Structure formats: C-alpha cells, structure tokens
Amino acid sequence: MLDKTYEPATAEDKHYAKWEQTGSFKHGQNTSEDAFTIVIPPPNVTGSLHMGHALNNTLQDVMIRHKRMQGLDVLWQPGTDHAGIATQMVVERKLGAEGIKRRDLGREKFLEKVWEWKDESGGTIINQLRRLGASCDWSRERFTMDEGLSAAVLDVFVRLHKEGLIYKDKRLVNWDPAFETAISDLEVIQKEVQGNMWHFKYPVEGEDGVFLTVATTRPETMLGDSGVAVHPEDERYKHLIGKNCIHPLTGFKLKIVGDDYADPEQGTGAVKMTPAHDFNDFEVGRRHNLEMINVMTPTAHMNDDVPEKYRGMDRFECRDAVIADMDELGFYAGKEDHVHMVPYGDRGGVPIEPYLTDQWFVDAKTLAEPAIKSVEEGRTKFVPENWTKTYYEWMRNIQPWCISRQLWWGHQIPAWYGPDGETFVEKTEAEAIAAAEKHYGKTVELTRDEDVLDTWFSSALWPFSTLGWPNDTPELVAKHYPTDVLVTGFDIIFFWVARMMMMGLKFMETEPFHTVYVHALVRDEHGQKMSKSKGNVIDPLSLVEQYGADALRFTLTSMAAPGRDIKLATSRVEGYRNFTTKLWNAARFCEMNECVVTNDFDPKDAKATVNRWIVGEVAKTRIEIDRALSSYRFNDAASVVYQFVWGTFCDWYLELAKPLLNSDNEAAKAETRKVAGWALAQILKLMHPFTPFVTEEIWEKLGDKPDELLITSEWPQCGEDLIVDDVVKEMEWVIGMITGIRSVRSEMNVPPSAQVPMILNGASDQAKGWLETHWVLLSRLARVSESSVDAEAPKGALEMVHDGATVALPIADVIDLGQEKARLEKAIKKAEGELKKISGKLSNEKFLANAPEAVVEENKARLAAEQDACDKLKASLEKIVAAM
C-alpha cells in the first residue's frame, strides 16, 4: 500500500542497500554475449562530491541502468585516483597540526601515515556517489595504487623505456616552489594580476652608446639571461645579429640572435632570453644553442649561479634588488602598469616557476600519432563533435610529457642508478641488480630514483589496468575492453582522454572507447561559474537532502543538452521533485482503482480506443527514449519521459479512463484496469534509469512479483506495431477539442463551474462520429452542457477552429461581455506601462554598462514575458469585441 506522500530519504537508503545486497550492480548477471562497459573517471581519493561529479555520474548511471535492463552484460567500473600532490598535501597538513614534518618521519614512515589516512578518511566521495544512486559494480572497486594497477604501471614504464619512448632529460617544467615538485598544466591556475612591465638597457659589446632595450615582468630572472633575440628581418637590428650584449649585473655576454619569435611590432622588438625560466625562451635557446642558466633553488630562492649579493634571496626580494641595482648603474629605463596573467599552483597557492630540471619524459609525439589517426578515421568520436577540433589542436602540437614528480606519495619510478650514474630501469630491484651486475661485471650498490610518477600516468591505463591487465584475465579483458563510451568534462580531454587513447592503442592495439561524451559545466542560475569566492557553489548533497536524489538526477539529465552549459536553479530541482510527486500520486490513483502493475497483460488485447491509444503512446515513448539515449541526447530522453508521464498519462489518460473505471461495463472496467496497470509498469521501467529510487519504491509496493527488483527487470519491448494511426488521430482530435475549449474559457475568464453549450459546424462525418462517441469525455472535461451540429451560432458566441471545423461557444449568458472587455483593456494598459518601463531601462546605455550581466538578462526575460502576456490579452480582447 502506497503512503499518502513519498519519503525520499527512507526509500533511498532502503533500496540502495537492497540493490547492493542482491548483487544488482554486478557485471555477469546478464549472460548476454553483448557487453556494455563504462569506466568511471576516478575521482581523487581526497575529493568530495561537487555538481560536476553529480552530472557526470548521473549521465553514466542513466546509460548503465538502461543497458542493464536491456539485457546486456553491464560493467560500470568504479574506483579512485591516489591524487599524488593533493593527498600528500592533506596528510602533511594533518601531521603539521601535530608538529610533525614529513622529512622528520622519513619516506617509509610518512607513506604509512598516508595509507592510514586513506583507509580511514579516503574514499568519502564513493559513499556520496552511492547517495546519488550510482549503480557501479562496487565489488570491483579499484584504486590507482592497488597492487594490480601498480603492476600495470611498472610494466608500461619499463616497456616504454626499453623502446626509447620514456627517457630522462633536462627541460623546463611547471615548478611549484611550495611543494618543490613539477606539476601538470591542469594543476596550474592563471590569475590576472595588476603588475608592472620593467624596461632595462643592455649595452652592445663594442658599440659605444648602443643599447638594446628589453622588457620583463620578472626582473629576478634577468640574472639567468644568456641572449637577446631580434627578428632576422628587423632593419634596426639586423647588423647586430651575431654580436653580444653585456649583462650589467653578471658580466655575461648575451648573444644577439635572429629569431622569428621576436616581434618587431611589440615593444622595442628586442627580447631578452632566459632559457631556463621561460617556455618560449627555452625553445629559442635550443634553436640557437644559448646557455641554460637556472638561477633558483627548488624553493624559489636565488642559487649560487647568481652574483654573491643575490644568493639566498627570495625571488621577490631579489626582484626589488635587481631593479634598484640596474637603476643605480644607469640601465633602468622605466616601468609601466601592466595587467597580466600569472600562473599559480592550485595546491601550493604560490606563483609557479618555469624551472629547468632533470625529469622523466614520455615521447608523447610518437604515441599521439595513432591516437590522432583513430579520431581522423572515425574509430573514436567526440560528442559534441566540435571537441574533435580541440583534441586535434592539442595532439598535433603535443610536447614531451613530464611524468616525474618530486613527491613521496605515488608510484615510485622503477629506475636505479649505478655508482657512475648508469641507469637501470626494471620492474623490481632484483632485476635491476641483475642488470647492473651484467653491465659492470660485478655487484655494485644501486640507488633508487626518489621521484614518483604523475598521477595521469597511472590513470591513462585505467580502462585496461582495472580489468587486471597485464595479469591473467584474458576473458574479462576480451569482453570489457574496449569500453563503450567515456563521459567526461572538457578540461581533461588532453590530460586524461588523450593519454588513455595513446596508452590503449600502444598496449591493447585498439582504442579504449568508441565515443567520448563531453558534458558541459554546471553553472549557477545566472550562468556564472560556481566558486567558493563568489559564494555561489551549490552542494549536490544538500539538494539530495532537501528534494531527494531523483529530483536532482532528473534536473541534471533534463538540462544536459550537448554543448550547452547548465544554469542550475534550486527552483528547477524543486520542480522535478514535484514530478516525482506527480508519479507517486498517479500510482496511488491506480492502486485505489485496482489497476495492478503486472507483466502478464498483452497490450494488443486492448479494445477501447482510449486504452489502445495509451498503449501506442507508451510504445512511442519507449522508441523515442531509446533513440535519444543511443545518440547521447540525454535532455531529449528526459523531456520525452517527462512529457509522456506528466502530460499524456497523468493529465490525459487517467482523466479519460475515469468514466471507464467507473462504468457499469465490467469488461471495459477490467480492461482499463489492466491497461492502466500495464502502462504504469512500463512507465516505472522507462523512468527507472532517470529516477531509480521512487520507481523502485512504487514497483515494490504495487508489483505482482515481490521478489523481482525493478533495477534488474526487462526493459519494455513494445514497438511500432502497437501504434495505430487511426486511434492516434481520433484521440488527438478529442484532446485537441478539450484543450481548445479550455483555453477559450480561460482566456475569457469563464467561471470553471459554468457549463457552456457548443456548436460544431463544418466538421467531417468522422469528426461528428467522434463527437458522439466521446461526448461523455468532452462534456465532463471541457465543461460543455450540450452540443449541436451544423447549427447557427447565436450572437455573443466565441469561435475557434479545430481540425478544419468551427466550434462556437455561446458565453453571453455566462459572463458580462462589456465587463470582460473593460477588464481586458485595463490589464492591457497596465501591461503596456510595464513594457515601456522595462524597455526604457534596456535602452539606457548607462544601465547596460553598469548593471551586472545577470540583472540585464533578468530584465530581458521580463520584457519577453510581459510582451507575451500583453499579446495574449490583446488576442482575448479581439475575441470579446468580435462576440459583442
């Protein structure tokens, strides 16, 4: 028996526990040879659920539940990422609060503390995903530092190294001085800073009184300058190419080189070259063999390669000293205010430095070639397609991938060094010792590389390492690799998607997925990006608490239009909570009228037109949902099910079925009960991927198979053979007639209780027959007292056209036409005043320039709404005047 109201919290806990206890999420329960596999983008073990996670995992769950009910052998592979720098930061801060420093503990003891934290506090986000309803196969949950995944990492590293695709090199990297490690571009955030551009004069050697004026936003790096670049065709400087400038502070000779990088139109056209502290300068330096001078320590203090005065200074302290000294020497040429972007480490919170250091790199260019070809040849597609262009831009301009990190938490690089620096890369220390003995002809002491791998390296193997590769799991790998679709955000197309493509093609010889669905951002209701600083972050779990998981899931799905960011308002979630309430109330109506949810009824047995119609509408809805989900149009699928359940089934069918349910015709009553129960059962199945909890609760209470769970029931099979065109046409005529009459009554302010006669003129014989057949429905739902066919309409009758016929509604006896005319004229005048007011505001340049974007958009929306309302009032007035 269904309670009067649906309580999400109780139902969600109960059904999720039952799903897990019965193994409903596990792969292998469907014996189909056809598999459907998705790997979850592994969230950081330090993370907690945000709205992006909620969207990403809801869309995945919709697909997984849909495919599971369709009978495929479904695997949704879950897990978490060890998140090297993020996790190390959490544990270091925790220890710091206890007065303990990482280096005081030592590597081994520190890693024990990290594992302790991971076991106690890590994985919070996994439990939060459960709250959302994610039906992952939790029995297969993986962690990127698991023994099996670590084995895959070692295998890949060693094999790539032996092929020359992993190597050690001295190159520039993003360096975080707070954590003293290289970091990826994704861990760098650009901040707009109001700074300065300082100008300095470098004297040209042997050219008395000749200077090259250069500019910089980072004067401290000038101590590492080793050249000056000018454009080779710049007439001002062509004659100086090959000569040197003399550095006023270091005395170094700065080679003047001709390079296209120098833009004659920018500044003076002369650019100072600091190859060890600027990514562009690094490339110019390599082209012209300029010296690479690293002038900083790992903590961004000045090192011993600078003049003694500056050694040990913090980089910003050194900046001030360099400016002052250049000014004192007469080489300072002034400064100007300069707004520019400064890169910060997202974890360390300090400006990062382009830093020259020895690191491990992957030859990404070589690995990228087959990954590019895969997309070019259509074996992997992006949805929306426009992301293909972004993928190509990144991949075709790819640089060596820095994979080493100066951390302790992570996969330690399997490289050992001999006494002379010879490198031995093997899976184990024993293998490295054996290789060293072979090389040296004797036993030597080896030192292990202290660095760990970039977390993107291990997550690049996720689609196959989670299946047990490279160990003996050929059947599992054969069935579930490649996976089907990857659901991800656009920000990690390069960092994760591209690297999975490269590794999958290299080691599995085929792409890891055939489709990459790139979802949009979830913004606030005004279109602003959510951030803590703006105070506009919406917590998905608070929405789950307030409105239930189903309401949030359906909101996100319904708004997930390809390529369009989601503007999320709490009111939308509340609205879709009302949708679940609507379904609940419809189920209660069916229960009270003995409409049994059953799988035994054959919908082809329906005889009554209304019942045949709803059977066809169910089939049409199933077909449209399948079609939308197969093309990743999640919003269309949600719209189809919403319109059908709320509009077609609840608002129309249940109303149209009431006369049959209340009739003395036992056969018609019995059939309608079966059809309504069958239709509700199909609705519960069709809605289950979107709103799993409320549908499972209704199924449990109303189903005739109490041991069968909805989550593992069969997806509806009803097809086009149930859609009868003549039936559809007939019911569309009935519904259109009722809707039209209701609309006219509403526009004319006819009291709801008033009964109005109708006159049908110019209708076909078929339509006249429909009028007679469905008169009981028309009279009750349209509040029509009597009907006449092909009769003259009296004065004061309103007219509407329906299916080519004229419908006249005499209302002069029901409302005062003169009074209604006056009311409408007054309302129009008020609406026009409001329109003038808003239009004036939007045509005011000062308002447009100063008002926040959200306020401007709100006024535009109000203007459109007021204009629409005013147009409708005028249309109603025209009808009243015509009837007078």
Side-chain angles (χ1 to χ4, degrees):
M1 188 75 179
L2 290 174
D3 295 331
K4 187 173 182 180
T5 56
Y6 171 61
E7 297 294 341
T10 305
E12 288 168 6
D13 289 344
K14 176 181 70 174
H15 290 298
Y16 202 90
K18 183 182 287 187
W19 291 332
E20 287 208 85
Q21 289 163 8
T22 55
S24 297
F25 301 159
K26 289 186 177 180
H27 82 287
Q29 59 184 308
N30 290 334
T31 57
S32 170
E33 289 301 312
D34 294 326
F36 183 80
T37 309
I38 295 178
V39 292
I40 197 172
N44 286 355
V45 70
T46 59
S48 58
L49 194 72
H50 58 61
M51 204 56 78
H53 290 132
L55 170 63
N56 183 292
N57 286 279
T58 293
L59 299 183
Q60 290 180 79
D61 197 45
V62 167
M63 288 191 290
I64 284 291
R65 289 177 183 269
H66 179 226
K67 295 295 184 182
R68 184 186 289 123
M69 293 175 75
Q70 286 186 320
L72 278 70
D73 182 9
V74 166
L75 171 60
W76 186 7
Q77 175 62 56
T80 49
D81 189 280
H82 63 279
I85 195 168
T87 304
Q88 183 157 320
M89 179 184 75
V90 168
V91 177
E92 283 199 59
R93 284 180 177 173
K94 184 174 180 292
L95 291 172
E98 302 170 15
I100 303 172
K101 292 184 178 180
R102 165 170 62 106
R103 298 193 184 280
D104 294 338
L105 279 178
R107 184 175 196 133
E108 189 175 332
K109 290 289 185 184
F110 176 75
L111 291 179
E112 286 178 8
K113 294 291 185 182
V114 181
W115 280 107
E116 285 175 13
W117 175 88
K118 189 264 178 186
D119 292 339
E120 293 172 9
S121 307
T124 296
I125 192 168
I126 295 298
N127 292 324
Q128 293 172 334
L129 288 173
R130 286 179 159 96
R131 292 285 312 278
L132 191 66
S135 60
C136 304
D137 185 350
W138 298 113
S139 69
R140 292 194 50 78
E141 184 180 344
R142 296 291 181 265
F143 178 56
T144 47
M145 292 279 285
D146 283 349
E147 186 176 333
L149 275 68
S150 296
V153 168
L154 289 174
D155 191 283
V156 167
F157 188 97
V158 172
R159 284 165 65 175
L160 290 177
H161 180 266
K162 292 188 184 302
E163 292 182 39
L165 295 171
I166 282 183
Y167 56 92
K168 202 166 190 181
D169 193 11
K170 187 180 286 292
R171 294 181 63 92
L172 279 193
V173 296
N174 295 313
W175 186 266
D176 187 331
F179 281 97
E180 299 180 45
T181 180
I183 59 176
S184 74
D185 288 341
L186 194 64
E187 294 163 315
V188 176
I189 53 175
Q190 300 289 338
K191 293 185 180 181
E192 188 174 84
V193 172
Q194 177 66 57
N196 294 293
M197 180 72 80
W198 287 275
H199 298 267
F200 302 98
K201 297 184 295 185
Y202 280 173
V204 178
E205 183 182 33
E207 302 279 343
D208 226 11
V210 177
F211 301 90
L212 287 182
T213 301
V214 297
T216 182
T217 59
R218 300 191 300 153
E220 64 276 13
T221 65
M222 290 173 58
L223 300 175
D225 284 358
S226 60
V228 178
V230 297
H231 195 277
E233 301 303 322
D234 192 330
E235 294 296 334
R236 296 170 295 177
Y237 307 124
K238 280 173 70 174
H239 63 290
L240 297 178
I241 294 174
K243 294 181 178 290
N244 300 308
C245 286
I246 301 299
H247 197 300
L249 299 180
T250 66
F252 291 162
K253 291 185 177 183
L254 310 179
K255 184 179 176 182
I256 302 173
V257 300
D259 195 278
D260 291 344
Y261 172 68
D263 185 351
E265 305 297 323
Q266 290 290 324
T268 64
V271 185
K272 73 181 201 68
M273 289 290 110
T274 320
H277 290 282
D278 182 277
F279 287 103
N280 291 317
D281 294 2
F282 177 80
E283 296 301 329
V284 176
R286 281 207 160 182
R287 287 197 289 271
H288 298 280
N289 200 30
L290 298 179
E291 189 175 355
M292 309 273 179
I293 309 170
N294 185 350
V295 296
M296 292 188 195
T297 69
T299 58
H301 289 74
M302 309 315 289
N303 64 21
D304 290 345
D305 286 330
V306 300
E308 187 173 356
K309 172 181 179 178
Y310 307 106
R311 293 174 190 170
M313 284 186 178
D314 171 79
R315 54 183 161 167
F316 300 118
E317 180 188 358
C318 181
R319 175 180 296 181
D320 294 337
V322 165
I323 295 168
D325 290 347
M326 288 292 280
D327 188 23
E328 186 177 336
L329 293 171
F331 297 108
Y332 177 52
K335 70 174 182 178
E336 60 193 52
D337 292 338
H338 182 65
V339 177
H340 61 121
M341 304 303 290
V342 174
Y344 277 72
D346 67 343
R347 304 287 179 183
V350 300
I352 65 108
E353 285 290 337
Y355 191 70
L356 187 67
T357 179
D358 287 314
Q359 301 286 347
W360 288 91
F361 293 89
V362 170
D363 180 358
K365 188 172 183 62
T366 298
L367 292 176
E369 290 174 4
I372 294 170
K373 188 178 292 185
S374 172
V375 177
E376 287 176 337
E377 296 176 356
R379 294 192 299 278
T380 295
K381 297 179 181 179
F382 283 84
V383 179
E385 200 278 331
N386 61 286
W387 289 110
T388 305
K389 182 180 178 182
T390 303
Y391 175 81
Y392 285 150
E393 287 173 354
W394 281 334
M395 296 293 272
R396 288 168 179 164
N397 296 287
I398 201 165
Q399 297 294 311
W401 170 18
C402 176
I403 55 170
S404 46
R405 299 290 182 264
Q406 288 63 56
L407 304 170
W408 286 354
W409 173 243
H411 296 102
Q412 191 170 356
I413 289 172
W416 285 262
Y417 303 105
D420 58 355
E422 184 69 26
T423 305
F424 302 94
V425 173
E426 302 291 346
K427 292 181 187 178
T428 66
E429 185 173 15
E431 291 176 1
I433 290 171
E437 286 180 356
K438 184 177 180 181
H439 174 77
Y440 292 111
K442 61 179 180 179
T443 301
V444 297
E445 187 175 343
L446 298 180
T447 304
R448 177 121 186 221
D449 194 309
E450 292 196 351
D451 289 355
V452 299
L453 286 165
D454 174 17
T455 54
W456 295 109
F457 189 90
S458 51
S459 59
L461 317 181
W462 190 249
F464 53 93
S465 65
T466 51
L467 296 175
W469 184 94
N471 295 325
D472 189 23
T473 54
E475 291 181 6
L476 194 63
V477 172
K479 191 161 192 179
H480 293 287
Y481 187 94
T483 67
D484 286 270
V485 56
L486 179 78
V487 180
T488 186
F490 67 88
D491 53 338
I492 54 174
I493 290 176
F494 178 67
F495 293 96
W496 190 44
V497 178
R499 289 165 183 178
M500 282 191 289
M501 289 283 287
M502 291 190 284
M503 293 301 193
L505 284 159
K506 175 65 178 174
F507 291 96
M508 306 301 290
E509 299 182 351
T510 188
E511 299 77 11
F513 23 72
H514 58 67
T515 301
V516 179
Y517 177 83
V518 183
H519 63 72
L521 283 175
V522 184
R523 300 179 178 271
D524 71 10
E525 61 186 302
H526 303 298
Q528 297 293 309
K529 190 172 181 179
M530 293 185 194
S531 70
K532 291 179 181 178
S533 61
K534 292 178 183 175
N536 64 344
V537 173
I538 303 174
D539 177 13
L541 292 178
S542 69
L543 294 179
V544 170
E545 293 283 352
Q546 192 171 0
Y547 301 110
D550 289 329
L552 176 60
R553 288 169 60 105
F554 202 87
T555 303
L556 294 172
T557 309
S558 69
M559 300 180 76
R564 191 187 311 156
D565 284 349
I566 292 174
K567 295 181 181 180
L568 183 64
T570 303
S571 59
R572 293 294 294 266
V573 185
E574 183 178 8
Y576 286 121
R577 188 272 311 275
N578 296 341
F579 178 43
T580 62
T581 300
K582 185 84 169 178
L583 174 66
W584 184 263
N585 291 337
R588 292 188 75 240
F589 173 86
C590 289
E591 182 182 36
M592 288 186 288
N593 284 277
E594 301 176 48
C595 305
V596 180
V597 176
T598 176
N599 287 328
D600 297 335
F601 175 67
D602 187 346
K604 293 178 182 177
D605 293 341
K607 300 291 189 297
T609 304
V610 168
N611 291 332
R612 293 173 69 198
W613 167 72
I614 197 62
V615 163
E617 292 300 303
V618 169
K620 189 188 303 180
T621 302
R622 194 279 299 168
I623 292 167
E624 290 178 359
I625 290 173
D626 284 350
R627 188 178 294 138
L629 289 181
S630 68
S631 56
Y632 311 103
R633 292 180 288 110
F634 297 98
N635 60 314
D636 288 345
S639 177
V640 166
V641 77
Y642 179 88
Q643 297 299 333
F644 171 69
V645 174
W646 189 298
T648 305
F649 183 74
C650 296
D651 285 354
W652 283 112
Y653 175 68
L654 294 184
E655 288 299 317
L656 296 170
K658 281 179 181 177
L660 293 171
L661 291 169
N662 296 324
S663 75
D664 295 329
N665 185 330
E666 291 301 323
K669 182 186 292 187
E671 176 187 292
T672 304
R673 282 174 173 168
K674 288 181 179 179
V675 170
W678 175 85
L680 178 59
Q682 309 316 301
I683 285 171
L684 295 177
K685 293 181 178 185
L686 294 173
M687 282 190 62
H688 181 77
F690 309 95
T691 55
F693 294 108
V694 67
T695 50
E696 190 75 77
E697 177 73 1
I698 296 171
W699 181 266
E700 177 188 75
K701 295 287 175 63
L702 300 188
D704 67 346
K705 294 182 178 178
D707 294 332
E708 180 187 330
L709 294 176
L710 180 61
I711 187 176
T712 50
S713 66
E714 186 180 15
W715 186 252
Q717 301 298 305
C718 43
E720 292 183 354
D721 59 315
L722 296 177
I723 305 169
V724 182
D725 290 342
D726 290 345
V727 169
V728 173
K729 185 177 179 183
E730 181 174 346
M731 291 311 301
E732 285 180 347
W733 184 90
V734 173
I735 292 171
M737 177 70 80
I738 295 169
T739 303
I741 293 174
R742 283 177 170 177
S743 178
V744 169
R745 290 173 62 106
S746 175
E747 290 171 8
M748 296 302 106
N749 221 20
V750 175
S753 59
Q755 296 279 342
V756 177
M758 67 169 279
I759 302 164
L760 181 64
N761 290 326
S764 65
D765 290 340
Q766 186 181 52
K768 292 173 184 177
W770 290 340
L771 176 63
E772 184 177 349
T773 301
H774 299 287
W775 171 247
V776 173
L777 293 175
L778 287 165
S779 61
R780 188 172 68 85
L781 297 179
R783 309 294 292 168
V784 177
S785 58
E786 58 183 291
S787 67
S788 304
V789 176
D790 295 333
E792 185 178 348
K795 187 173 178 61
L798 293 175
E799 293 186 348
M800 66 175 232
V801 177
H802 176 57
D803 193 34
T806 302
V807 181
L809 300 171
I811 62 169
D813 295 336
V814 180
I815 65 170
D816 185 324
L817 296 178
Q819 189 177 33
E820 182 61 16
K821 177 175 176 286
R823 185 190 72 81
L824 288 169
E825 287 173 338
K826 184 177 179 182
I828 290 169
K829 186 176 180 181
K830 181 180 178 183
E832 287 178 335
E834 191 65 22
L835 278 172
K836 185 177 180 181
K837 178 181 173 184
I838 302 171
S839 296
K841 190 180 286 188
L842 289 172
S843 61
N844 185 326
E845 293 298 329
K846 189 174 181 181
F847 169 77
L848 294 174
N850 297 323
E853 183 183 349
V855 173
V856 174
E857 291 301 318
E858 181 186 350
N859 276 273
K860 287 180 179 178
R862 282 180 58 206
L863 181 66
E866 287 291 342
Q867 185 63 61
D868 182 57
C870 189
D871 291 344
K872 287 178 178 176
L873 289 169
K874 288 179 178 178
S876 297
L877 180 61
E878 288 177 7
K879 291 179 182 177
I880 285 288
V881 171
M884 294 179 72

